[in-house]
Amino acid sequence: MTAGGIPPPPGARAVLDALQAAGHEAVFVGGCVRDRLLGRQAADWDVATDALPEAVMALFAKAIPTGLQHGTVTVVERGEPVEVTTYRVERGYADGRRPDEVIYTRALADDLGRRDFTMNAMAWDPVTDRLVDPFGGRADLEAGRVRAVGDAVERFTEDGLRPLRAVRFAAVLGFELHPPTEAAIGATRATFRRVSAERVRVEFVKTLLSARPGWGLEVLHTTGLLADFLPEVDALGPRRVAGLAAALGGTPARLAVRLAVTLWGVEDAEAPLRRLTFSNAERRAVVHLHGFRGLAPGAPRTDVEVWRLVAAVGAEALEDLLAVGEAVGDPAAWRALGRRIDALGARGGPLSTRALPVDGRDAMAVLGLPPSRRLGRLLQALLERVWADPTLADRGALLALMPEVDATLGDEEAP
Ligand code: ATP
Ligand code: MG
């Protein structure tokens, strides 16, 4: 593990330099220090300082008090938002969710001591290239170990989200859980149950999108966390959860795919997604995929049936459905379906009547029909003729076909 690697982005570095130039302490802290040691690109470079928020606000032209109750000011430098947080400790977690009181401190070591895991409790001064690592975070990184800072049960009782974060970091980084840290997960479930659904969702999504989603699901199940936030899946039992975990392993890292696989065994995907506060769009995408649970990949026999399926799935969701099918079903059969779809050109072909080179007004003109539901049925029938014979996807051919196809519709909806 080298500390040489990735430099901080220029805006974050400029903020840190300006704080030091004004006589304050300023260091990079938390995730960026961890990720830099791992040679990974950090999501954001957070700065910690002994300067009070008012001093930070006064020092920069563009500073927004985004989290003053936590001592956080967002400084915008060279177009980059940089979070600057005053060294702080926390007192009392009566509700297991947020500290009762935030107290500023002059000592970096105290600030690091309130953090969740040893690998997240390091600071780095880029000017002197000094690593501040009071809890052996670097050694744990080298050993591939997620370990709570201090007593794990105590720390997980302060904030019930931490157990899930432990699983998330282990899944993302391919680490193991330090045994006392893992044991503390089961011992503090009462606190975990009080954590807001939003916070749980964020960590669960990161676990699902990690390199080891299946490992994550298994550990969530064995530690009991899954029973607390996704009881529908947990209730499937160890064997079926293990099956889902194995299925997750082969899927592309797309949220809708991984959620659909996770929920494949439950009747109602909507309720758990709603409870976990997934957005309407996320919910809709997963419920749509989940709706094809009953589909046997060999069921569409004729070409028109394959087209009809692709039209029902929709071009946007097709890739995801094939990925889910391959993961949870017979992979060879789903791959064969994918090949049939490709052979028909159904991924790029007309999937709805809107994609035809004729429309309802053409039909009214050719057949002398008034506006009516019959027009929609006629266009649908024309679409299916095109699916059966792609050479008909031509305006002249379709106009010529209209009387014949209209005659097959019968009279029941005639005005
Ligand atoms: P990511 O790369 O996913 O952003 P991160 O380590 O930066 O990971 P954040 O949630 O952005 O995680 O938090 C930043 C830092 O704040 C962490 O590295 C950790 O030091 C501290 N932290 C965050 N959440 C908690 C928590 N629930 N309890 C204690 N410390 C926390
Ligand atoms: Mg972060």
Side-chain angles (χ1 to χ4, degrees):
M1 202 177 318
T2 65
I6 302 157
R13 177 61 198 259
V15 168
L16 183 141
D17 286 346
L19 283 161
Q20 290 197 4
H24 303 295
E25 271 184 41
V27 288
F28 288 118
V29 73
C32 63
V33 179
R34 175 198 71 222
D35 288 342
R36 183 171 167 281
L37 288 172
L38 290 170
R40 295 168 64 98
Q41 198 67 55
D44 26 48
W45 288 71
D46 297 331
V47 173
T49 180
D50 65 353
L52 292 173
E54 305 80 74
V56 177
M57 293 285 294
L59 199 56
F60 296 95
K62 199 161 175 202
I64 309 146
T66 44
L68 267 194
Q69 70 280 20
H70 305 116
T72 301
V73 171
T74 299
V75 176
V76 182
E77 189 68 46
R78 306 184 193 195
E80 272 175 48
V82 183
E83 285 202 356
V84 179
T85 305
T86 303
Y87 297 163
R88 62 184 167 91
V89 290
E90 293 159 354
R91 288 282 158 74
Y93 290 79
D95 61 358
R97 300 197 290 192
R98 66 186 77 79
D100 302 331
E101 201 183 353
V102 165
I103 299 161
Y104 298 129
T105 166
R106 310 285 306 180
L108 172 59
D110 293 340
D111 180 273
L112 295 176
R114 71 167 168 90
R115 294 172 184 271
D116 46 8
F117 305 109
T118 59
M119 61 180 180
N120 289 345
M122 293 184 282
W124 175 59
D125 180 346
V127 179
T128 58
D129 193 22
R130 189 172 70 104
L131 184 74
V132 184
D133 177 18
F135 306 103
R138 186 175 186 149
D140 283 334
L141 277 186
E142 273 158 9
R145 198 157 55 202
V146 178
R147 182 208 299 249
V149 170
D151 181 76
V153 170
E154 211 171 280
R155 305 312 309 283
F156 289 0
T157 307
E158 287 170 357
D159 178 358
L161 186 68
R162 290 173 185 159
L164 181 55
R165 282 173 62 85
V167 177
R168 184 263 276 198
F169 283 117
V172 168
L173 300 173
F175 282 15
E176 58 181 40
L177 296 166
H178 189 237
T181 296
E182 178 161 12
I185 297 178
T188 56
R189 278 175 58 191
T191 316
F192 175 69
R193 284 187 212 111
R194 293 205 295 270
V195 176
S196 76
E198 289 83 357
R199 294 180 78 207
V200 169
R201 170 175 46 76
V202 169
E203 297 297 332
F204 179 53
V205 164
K206 288 183 177 179
T207 308
L208 272 188
L209 292 180
S210 74
R212 293 200 300 170
W215 179 91
L217 189 70
E218 287 260 37
V219 174
L220 292 175
H221 178 61
T222 53
T223 53
L225 292 179
L226 195 65
D228 290 334
F229 76 92
L230 216 44
E232 299 90 339
V233 177
D234 190 77
L236 298 172
R239 287 202 38 203
R240 291 183 69 195
V241 170
L244 292 171
L248 277 174
T251 53
R254 288 201 294 274
L255 184 59
V257 170
R258 291 191 169 174
L259 279 172
V261 170
T262 303
L263 295 170
W264 207 247
V266 310
E267 275 305 309
D268 174 15
E270 176 86 25
L273 292 170
R274 204 174 269 285
R275 192 179 61 238
L276 287 172
T277 72
F278 281 95
S279 72
N280 289 339
E282 289 166 329
R283 235 168 42 221
R284 226 179 291 123
V286 177
V287 168
H288 178 62
L289 294 172
H290 192 262
F292 290 94
R293 268 198 322 160
L295 177 74
R301 294 180 188 285
T302 64
D303 289 352
V304 170
E305 282 169 348
V306 172
W307 276 102
R308 207 176 279 144
L309 170 67
V310 175
V313 175
E316 334 71 51
L318 184 61
E319 221 57 60
D320 285 354
L321 180 66
L322 292 172
V324 171
E326 259 192 57
V328 296
D330 171 2
W334 280 89
R335 277 196 292 269
L337 176 61
R339 282 194 301 273
R340 275 191 81 188
I341 291 168
D342 285 335
L344 289 177
R347 287 176 205 245
L351 293 181
S352 80
T353 56
R354 285 189 304 280
L356 291 174
V358 293
D359 62 14
R361 254 177 304 151
D362 297 319
M364 292 193 286
V366 169
L367 301 170
L369 288 173
S372 70
R373 297 241 309 281
R374 188 180 182 87
L375 294 172
R377 292 175 59 224
L378 175 77
L379 291 170
Q380 183 63 33
L382 287 169
L383 178 65
E384 302 209 354
R385 292 292 279 264
V386 171
W387 289 347
D389 177 2
T391 63
L392 296 175
D394 165 88
R395 182 170 164 81
L398 289 173
L399 290 174
L401 257 184
M402 278 182 183
E404 177 196 326
V405 170
D406 182 56
T408 67
L409 293 182
D411 286 332
E412 77 268 30
E413 267 180 60

